[in-house]
Structure formats: C-alpha cells, structure tokens
C-alpha cells in the first residue's frame, strides 16, 4: 500500500513489537470483540497471566487505552471497560459524515491503479467472511477498506483523523452488526463506493459514502 503503513489487525503480533504494544493490541482486541465487556473490571495481574506478558507492559497498555477512551480508572475500584455510549457513537458518526465523503472524493481523483486493486481485494475478502460469518475478520476488513480509501486521498492529516474515528467505532461495529442482512447491506454499500471510485466518479463516490454512513447511523440507533 502506497504511502503509510498498513494498520495491523487487532491482536496481530508482527515482529519487532514491544511487549507494551503486544499487550495493547491484545487487550484492545478483546475489548472490541466483547471478550472484555462494557463495565467489566480488568485485573492487571490476571491479564498478565492470560497474555503471558509482565505487569508493567500491561499497565502501560491500559494507560494508553484509557487515553483512547476504552477503559476508565475508578478510584479504589480499579480499571473498568468503558460503557457503551449512544451519544458518543452519534458524535463519531457526525464526524465521519463530515470528513469521509470529502476524503472519498479526493481518493477518487488520486487513487492509483494499485490502490484500487487493493480496495477491490479487500471487498472480495469481505464477501468470503460474510459467508463464513466471521465477525472479527469482517470488522478488520471493514476498517481496512476505509483505511485504504483514506490513504488513497493522499492527505495524511485527513487519514489520521478518519483512522482515529474508525478505531473508536470498532466496539459499536461488533455490537451492531450481528445479523446477516445488515452485513450484506454494508457489503453492497461498500461495492457502490468502490464502483464509483473505479469509474472516477467523484460525486457518485461522495453520495455513496454519505448513504453508507447514514445507513450505519440508522442501524446503530435501532441496535444500541
């Protein structure tokens, strides 16, 4: 992928990662996939034993997750997984609705043939994961597709913003997308965006992205 590094999948442990980063990725994966559920207390010693990583890297990872809003520290009680907030979800979607249509418009103009090939490959992989109902893999592929679009816009500041918004949305994605119909609907919405990018139809891509985000907003409001 041209430009910036590809995001690792949640829980992925590529060579060279520090123990702190490994702990961070794995705890975050478990939070996003609801293995650590909203309101659960996270005991550092227990997590350290489960992950086979020392308590210091685990503590550092939890500090980072606190800054990202995924956990909170309650005095005299400990670290707790942040509860789900519909208000926060809607705020994130408002920001996506402002920024992602603009981003996909840029991507339609600036994407290389290699960028487009990677996006299409991600969509093809999503179709297979829908058939096997692999929700974690679909969550990762959804994130990858939007990340690839943001990279193709060739605006690093915009890409970082959109990446942050999606990272904060992963739990909501996993909670809300638990039925096959919605998964197929999202896949079709992604295809509509992709087709417009391939046609170099900027206005069509912008409109398709707006439809996609608005569809997500309506579904989440019915679900959470």
């Amino acid at each position: 992928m041209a430009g910036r590094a590809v995001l690792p999948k949640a829980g992925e442990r590529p060579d060279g990662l520090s123990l702190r980063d490994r702990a961070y990725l794995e705890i975050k994966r478990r939070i996003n996939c609801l293995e650590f559920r909203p309101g659960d207390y996270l005991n550092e010693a227990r997590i350290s034993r489960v992950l086979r990583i020392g308590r210091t890297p685990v503590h550092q990872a939890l500090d980072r997750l606190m800054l990202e809003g995924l956990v909170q520290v309650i005095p005299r009680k400990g670290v707790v997984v942040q509860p789900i907030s519909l208000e926060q979800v809607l705020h994130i979607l408002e920001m996506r609705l402002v920024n992602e249509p603009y981003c996909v418009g840029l991507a339609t103009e600036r994407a290389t043939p290699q960028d487009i090939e990677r996006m299409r490959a991600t969509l093809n992989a999503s179709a297979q994961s829908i058939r096997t109902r692999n929700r974690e893999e679909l969550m990762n592929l959804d994130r990858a597709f939007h990340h690839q679009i943001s990279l193709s816009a060739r605006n690093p500041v915009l890409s970082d913003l959109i990446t942050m918004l999606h990272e904060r949305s992963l739990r909501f994605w996993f909670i809300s997308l638990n039925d096959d119909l919605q998964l197929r609907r999202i896949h079709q919405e992604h295809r509509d965006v992709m087709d417009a990018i391939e046609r170099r139809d900027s206005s069509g891509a912008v409109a398709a992205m707006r439809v996609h985000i608005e569809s997500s907003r309506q579904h989440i409001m019915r679900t959470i």
Side-chain angles (χ1 to χ4, degrees):
M1 189 175 298
R4 301 162 65 90
V6 179
L7 286 172
K9 291 183 178 180
E12 190 177 21
R13 298 178 179 180
D15 292 341
L17 276 185
S18 67
L19 291 175
R20 177 192 60 194
D21 288 342
R22 291 184 181 185
Y24 163 79
L25 287 173
E26 183 58 23
I27 297 168
K28 185 172 184 177
R29 184 192 73 79
R30 293 178 185 227
I31 290 172
N32 286 329
C33 295
L34 303 184
E35 294 178 36
F36 296 154
R37 302 187 66 83
D40 281 355
Y41 285 92
L42 300 182
N43 180 277
E44 286 186 11
R46 179 177 177 277
I47 292 174
S48 179
R49 288 194 301 271
V50 169
L51 301 187
R52 298 181 180 180
I53 295 176
R55 288 189 63 174
T56 296
V58 168
H59 180 81
Q60 293 169 334
L62 290 172
D63 282 346
R64 182 175 171 185
L65 291 166
M66 181 177 66
L67 292 175
E68 294 182 8
L70 285 175
V71 303
Q72 60 181 322
V73 177
I74 298 180
R76 297 184 297 278
K77 290 188 176 180
V79 179
V80 179
V81 178
Q82 190 75 260
I84 298 292
S85 165
L86 177 59
E87 182 180 26
Q88 182 187 26
V89 182
L90 295 179
H91 287 165
I92 290 171
L93 288 168
E94 284 179 356
M95 290 295 294
R96 287 185 58 193
L97 197 55
V98 169
N99 290 283
E100 285 197 72
Y102 176 68
C103 180
V104 80
L106 294 179
T108 302
E109 298 169 0
R110 300 174 180 178
T112 66
Q114 292 76 23
D115 292 331
I116 291 173
E117 182 179 349
R118 280 188 282 268
M119 292 180 218
R120 182 61 71 182
T122 299
L123 282 187
N124 291 340
S126 297
Q128 174 61 30
S129 294
I130 289 172
R131 287 191 289 271
T132 60
R133 304 183 72 181
N134 187 333
R135 288 171 66 201
E136 183 175 350
E137 183 66 19
L138 282 167
M139 178 180 70
N140 288 324
L141 290 168
D142 180 276
R143 176 178 63 166
F145 180 69
H146 286 274
H147 186 59
Q148 288 161 354
I149 292 172
S150 73
L151 292 178
S152 300
R154 301 296 188 273
N155 183 322
V157 176
L158 183 59
S159 178
D160 286 347
L161 173 61
I162 289 172
T163 296
M164 180 271 291
L165 293 172
H166 278 272
E167 287 295 313
R168 294 197 173 197
S169 301
L170 292 177
R171 271 200 304 175
F172 312 128
W173 195 105
F174 201 84
I175 290 169
S176 65
L177 296 181
N178 56 4
D179 66 89
D180 293 345
L181 177 61
Q182 182 64 12
L183 291 175
R184 290 193 297 270
R185 183 179 296 120
I186 286 178
H187 183 65
Q188 183 57 54
E189 291 165 1
H190 283 171
R191 288 179 62 89
D192 292 342
V193 172
M194 184 76 254
D195 291 346
I197 293 173
E198 287 185 325
R199 295 194 308 268
R200 302 295 182 177
D201 176 5
S202 181
S203 61
V206 168
M209 184 62 78
R210 287 186 181 279
V211 167
H212 171 52
I213 298 171
E214 181 61 28
S215 172
S216 296
R217 186 186 71 84
Q218 293 175 1
H219 181 73
I220 285 174
M221 286 184 69
R222 293 193 300 267
T223 305
I224 294 180

